[in-house]
Amino acid sequence: MPNHLANRIRRARRRKGMTQAELASQLKVSRSAVGNWESPTGIMPSTTRMITIALVTDVSFEWLATGRHGLDVVPANAPLSAVEMVDDPQERRLLMAYRTCRAATRKLVLQIVEGQRLSRT
């Protein structure tokens, strides 16, 4: 899978010119931990660890975590709307489902969700 997290971690590390051992040293983990993250069948690093990987390799956290947008870090002066962080598994599922819907379905879902939000205020 070209967009698999393991491939993005490997790509970020190589783009920075680092070996697995060098990345492991920066993260204070074993080289085998990095190898495991880079394996499609390996375990996924924690969100906190992915933030550190993104910082050490100078890539965007969103790209590393999701594969969306470019791998370059969002500039510090970018508007908050340019940055998207989803940590809740249910929110991530909803977002992914929403993105794969037809336009008419997305419009309906948005109306439902916004209607719920407005009815609580």
Side-chain angles (χ1 to χ4, degrees):
M1 261 191 269
N3 245 357
H4 195 275
L5 175 62
N7 291 334
R8 290 192 302 276
I9 293 172
R10 181 179 301 111
R11 183 174 171 195
R13 176 182 57 78
R14 288 181 175 169
R15 179 178 186 242
K16 187 70 174 178
M18 300 175 83
T19 65
Q20 285 184 347
E22 289 168 334
L23 180 58
S25 175
Q26 289 280 320
L27 301 173
K28 296 178 178 38
V29 299
S30 67
R31 194 231 34 96
S32 63
V34 175
N36 199 4
W37 299 334
E38 291 186 1
S39 169
T41 58
I43 62 167
M44 197 170 109
S46 68
T47 302
T48 303
R49 190 71 74 192
M50 287 196 318
I51 291 169
T52 307
I53 293 168
L55 290 170
V56 167
T57 59
D58 295 326
V59 298
S60 155
F61 172 77
E62 184 177 4
W63 174 82
L64 184 66
T66 67
R68 290 191 308 266
H69 304 296
L71 67 145
D72 291 318
V73 177
V74 177
N77 61 351
L80 189 56
S81 61
V83 180
E84 181 182 311
M85 293 183 65
V86 179
D87 194 33
D88 178 26
Q90 288 181 326
E91 185 179 356
R92 185 176 295 115
R93 285 179 51 208
L94 179 62
L95 187 57
M96 295 309 293
Y98 178 84
R99 288 179 174 163
T100 59
C101 289
R102 293 187 313 236
T105 305
R106 285 196 306 267
K107 185 176 178 181
L108 180 60
V109 167
L110 191 57
Q111 288 173 347
I112 292 168
V113 173
E114 286 178 335
Q116 288 295 312
R117 183 185 54 158
L118 293 174
S119 69
R120 289 186 164 198
T121 57

